[in-house]
Amino acid sequence: THAAHELTTAMTLLSWVKLDSAGAGAHQTAICKYNAVAGVQKGYIMWVKHTDVLSCRVGETTNSTDHAGTTNIQDDTWHLWGLTYDGAFLRLKLDGATEGTDLAYTNDMTASGHPLTIGCRQETPSVYDTDMKGVIGESWVYNRALTAGENSRHYNLTRWRY
């Protein structure tokens, strides 16, 4: 694990993802630094859950908070997934725009102690799950919340690659 990835007060996660239709209805992880072993829930994860919409989970020791978008992204199309946290709200981003509604969240996340993973979640030191069934392009982790304009600009500057 690297201390720079132990984000607890502000962050932005971005990842270009193209889901494969074979993974419909499955949990699929883009970016993860989350620990949910034996009742401990720490860190962050950006994924698609069984509902096929962009989702996130953040943890603060014994509790976790889930937030989900509304757009079905199980469509064999490249999308830029995003999650920002500014100390007050969790915001999901899809293709540079706000996805769903902002979720008030004022707790600091707890450092997970797990490594940062792309395309899967580390359940235990030797077990990885919620594998991505599709393709992941570039991914970025920022230690601050990007603004709406910065998210949109990121999408517009990188979408030609996908």
Side-chain angles (χ1 to χ4, degrees), residues 70-90:
T70 58
T71 304
N72 185 319
I73 54 176
Q74 187 69 49
D75 58 4
D76 282 325
T77 302
W78 282 101
H79 292 285
L80 180 62
W81 296 7
L83 166 64
T84 63
Y85 175 57
D86 62 5
F89 291 94
L90 292 168

Side-chain angles (χ1 to χ4, degrees), residues 29-57:
T29 300
I31 300 175
C32 181
K33 189 156 181 39
Y34 190 78
N35 177 352
V37 177
V40 175
Q41 301 181 40
K42 302 176 180 180
Y44 52 88
I45 184 169
M46 183 173 65
W47 58 355
V48 166
K49 294 173 65 176
H50 63 279
T51 55
D52 295 331
V53 298
L54 178 60
S55 302
C56 72
R57 177 177 289 164

Side-chain angles (χ1 to χ4, degrees), residues 5-11 13 32-37 39-47 56-67 83 85 90 103 105-113 121:
H5 298 135
E6 296 289 2
L7 307 173
T8 58
T9 59
M11 69 173 179
L13 309 177
C32 181
K33 189 156 181 39
Y34 190 78
N35 177 352
V37 177
V40 175
Q41 301 181 40
K42 302 176 180 180
Y44 52 88
I45 184 169
M46 183 173 65
W47 58 355
C56 72
R57 177 177 289 164
V58 294
E60 64 278 348
T61 309
T62 58
N63 297 307
S64 66
T65 298
D66 288 342
H67 186 38
L83 166 64
Y85 175 57
L90 292 168
L103 178 67
Y105 181 81
T106 56
N107 301 330
D108 286 346
M109 294 173 285
T110 305
S112 74
R121 175 182 69 173

